[in-house]
Amino acid sequence: MAQKKNKKTVKNSYAMITALMTPQDQNFLGYVFGGAILKLMDQIAYVSAARNSGKYCVTASFDRVDFKEHVHVGELLTLKSSVNIVGKTSMEVGVRIEAKDPKTGNVRHTASGYVTMVAIDKNGNPTKVPAITPETDDEKRRYREGQIRYKMRKEMVK
């Protein structure tokens, strides 16, 4: 499934961003629009994929994005990502999203999802990416689970 040369660790792909949710991010119900959150997910997934591959990357798919709780305007949204598993040219990036109320300090896990990114060369064609080595128990669990999702995605394409 993955290349042996130029191995990298999961921690090398780790990324985190925090953004203030403002009224422009608000949907018609007064909560943060899911599309605003998806845009941030796409951006942080790119950072993790680019760190692992050393290449420009494009989004191939969003898999299983679960919105667990509403996000409110005025909250700080923190997104954390890392590469879970690597294919020949693609990488599955796991993203966890937490909202923090800056007044109370209360932090809530509001969403999680997986973004498949593909590394591209200077001509825009898919290009090989280095393998990734999970080190911690959590990284190894995410790697195993990513292998299952990888196989399921391949089956769905058939």
Side-chain angles (χ1 to χ4, degrees):
M1 178 187 293
Q3 299 290 327
K4 294 288 184 204
K5 67 179 184 174
N6 299 327
K7 260 191 181 176
K8 296 187 178 185
T9 63
V10 171
K11 69 182 171 196
N12 296 131
S13 71
Y14 179 77
M16 183 174 80
I17 57 172
T18 299
L20 171 65
M21 297 295 95
T22 64
Q24 72 183 16
D25 301 315
Q26 184 172 254
N27 67 17
F28 56 89
L29 294 174
Y31 301 112
V32 172
F33 181 60
I37 296 169
L38 291 174
K39 179 181 178 184
L40 291 169
M41 285 182 74
D42 195 31
Q43 290 172 342
I44 195 156
Y46 173 87
V47 172
S48 286
R51 283 182 175 168
N52 183 67
S53 67
K55 310 266 185 205
Y56 285 119
C57 299
V58 294
T59 307
S61 70
F62 272 76
D63 298 342
R64 186 77 196 203
V65 177
D66 292 313
F67 293 99
K68 300 174 183 297
E69 294 189 30
H70 297 293
V71 176
H72 306 278
V73 170
E75 288 187 311
L76 302 174
L77 205 63
T78 299
L79 294 86
K80 302 172 185 176
S81 68
S82 61
V83 173
N84 289 336
I85 190 166
V86 172
K88 188 171 127 185
T89 62
S90 66
M91 296 154 280
E92 180 195 84
V93 179
V95 181
R96 178 183 171 94
I97 303 170
E98 298 172 343
K100 180 177 183 176
D101 182 328
K103 293 180 283 184
T104 66
N106 184 41
V107 176
R108 300 173 295 113
H109 177 200
T110 58
S112 292
Y114 305 100
V115 183
T116 300
M117 305 294 289
V118 175
I120 57 171
D121 64 18
K122 64 181 179 181
N123 298 316
N125 298 313
T127 187
K128 291 181 182 177
V129 295
I132 197 156
T133 303
E135 297 176 308
T136 68
D137 288 342
D138 190 46
E139 291 170 356
K140 290 174 184 175
R141 175 190 55 79
R142 291 193 322 248
Y143 184 87
R144 287 189 305 272
E145 292 171 356
Q147 286 177 313
I148 294 166
R149 286 187 297 273
Y150 181 86
K151 289 175 185 172
M152 288 173 41
R153 284 190 293 269
K154 290 292 184 188
E155 285 297 316
M156 289 177 66
V157 171
K158 288 182 182 180

